[in-house]
Amino acid sequence: MATSTGRGSAPAYESVRGSKAGDGRDKTRWLQLLCFLLVLAVWTLVSAVGMVSASALPGPRAVAGELVAMAGTGEFWGALGDTLRGAVAGLAAAVVIGVPLGLVTGTYAAVEQSSRLLVDVLRSFPVIALLPVFLLVLGSTSGMKATVVFIACVFPIFLQAQYGARGVEPMIQETVRGYRIPRLLRFRRVILPSALPSIMTGLRLAATTSVLVAIGVEILTILPGIGHMVTEEQQSGNSPAAYGYIITAAVIGYSINRLSGAVEARLLRWRPPAQAG
């Protein structure tokens, strides 16, 4: 009788726990919305009472109206496309180079130890400080923008791939060696699946960084894109338009982060969800 009751109570317990988790997520969404509305209200109040000049901080309504007007122009979408092309090109190159190198150095300890000093030195350089060098070598071109994005993104992806490859269980490694599994098959079936969660973490970080760096390069150079439009609108005195482009950049970053999370959840659907406690 006791055994029957225990089995019957398990689904009910899981249902209650799932309900509580759903309630927690709903509460979190409401708190996030409340925080957003609070920031918007403070922005409106500061702009309305004139604590900051309208040229430095236009009101939300003026920015929203300008943003809607810009969304109907080809100039806006052209700037958006220029920024995304540079960001995607640099990010793609970082993935193609960073993931294989990270897996190789993470798998073979001798390679990782011999390259550690070089990697530490290279990733210590601030990428924006190297911008004058890239301008001299490559000129003010879209290839230069993609190169700067690549330098900023390759190390997070490389290090996360390396960390994931080092995380393969020793017992699994001994089993692979014992059965003399070919190296290529070992990479595909053992190392890559084990390192994939860590790789996706690096990819999410790099994806957001790629857009931010592309916009930063456009602000500091004459290359077309959202960053260049921010500078141009600010210099012409059209602050609402400048803020509209800044908000557009924020929306792009948020959208990329959400998209990366969805891709990660789909690729790692085989992984059991983490349990609190």
Side-chain angles (χ1 to χ4, degrees):
M1 186 68 178
T3 304
S4 175
T5 303
R7 289 179 179 176
S9 62
Y13 172 74
E14 294 293 337
S15 177
V16 171
R17 187 171 63 176
S19 177
K20 289 182 178 180
D23 293 341
R25 286 192 294 268
D26 292 340
K27 183 178 180 180
T28 300
R29 292 191 186 98
W30 280 110
L31 289 175
Q32 291 173 347
L33 179 61
L34 180 62
C35 182
F36 175 78
L37 293 176
L38 180 61
V39 171
L40 194 63
V42 171
W43 181 10
T44 303
L45 180 62
V46 170
S47 177
V49 300
M51 294 178 60
V52 182
S53 64
S55 59
L57 183 65
R61 181 175 297 180
V63 174
E66 191 67 31
L67 183 58
V68 171
M70 290 190 306
T73 64
E75 185 180 39
F76 173 84
W77 295 106
L80 180 62
D82 289 329
T83 297
L84 290 179
R85 276 192 293 272
V88 170
L91 179 62
V95 171
V96 170
I97 295 177
V99 171
L101 287 180
L103 293 177
V104 170
T105 56
T107 302
Y108 301 102
V111 180
E112 189 272 332
Q113 292 171 3
S114 61
S115 62
R116 183 182 302 171
L117 177 61
L118 179 62
V119 171
D120 289 342
V121 170
L122 291 177
R123 72 189 184 98
S124 299
F125 284 105
V127 65
I128 296 299
L130 296 174
L131 187 58
V133 177
F134 289 117
L135 282 173
L136 288 174
V137 176
L138 301 175
S140 186
T141 62
S142 57
M144 186 275 294
K145 185 200 302 184
T147 302
V148 176
V149 173
F150 165 77
I151 297 297
C153 295
V154 69
F155 289 107
I157 295 174
F158 167 80
L159 293 174
Q160 286 294 326
Q162 186 182 80
Y163 174 78
R166 288 205 308 260
V168 179
E169 295 286 344
M171 184 177 65
I172 297 177
Q173 295 179 358
E174 292 298 329
T175 303
V176 168
R177 294 192 189 100
Y179 281 97
R180 300 180 182 275
I181 297 177
R183 292 183 179 181
L184 183 58
L185 184 61
R186 186 193 314 172
F187 269 97
R188 289 176 51 199
R189 297 298 186 181
V190 178
I191 297 175
L192 183 58
S194 298
L196 191 57
S198 183
I199 292 174
M200 291 306 301
T201 300
L203 183 59
R204 291 183 67 178
L205 295 172
T208 305
T209 301
S210 65
V211 177
L212 297 178
V213 172
I215 293 174
V217 171
E218 292 161 359
I219 290 176
L220 297 175
T221 63
I222 60 173
L223 290 172
I226 292 177
H228 180 69
M229 294 306 300
V230 170
T231 303
E232 193 174 84
E233 297 292 354
Q234 186 180 17
Q235 291 176 349
S236 64
N238 192 357
S239 295
Y243 275 90
Y245 280 109
I246 292 173
I247 291 175
T248 301
V251 171
I252 293 173
Y254 175 77
S255 301
I256 289 176
N257 190 41
R258 297 287 294 184
L259 179 61
S260 301
V263 172
E264 180 179 2
R266 185 171 182 83
L267 289 177
L268 303 180
R269 60 184 181 273
W270 50 267
R271 186 177 59 173
Q275 299 293 334

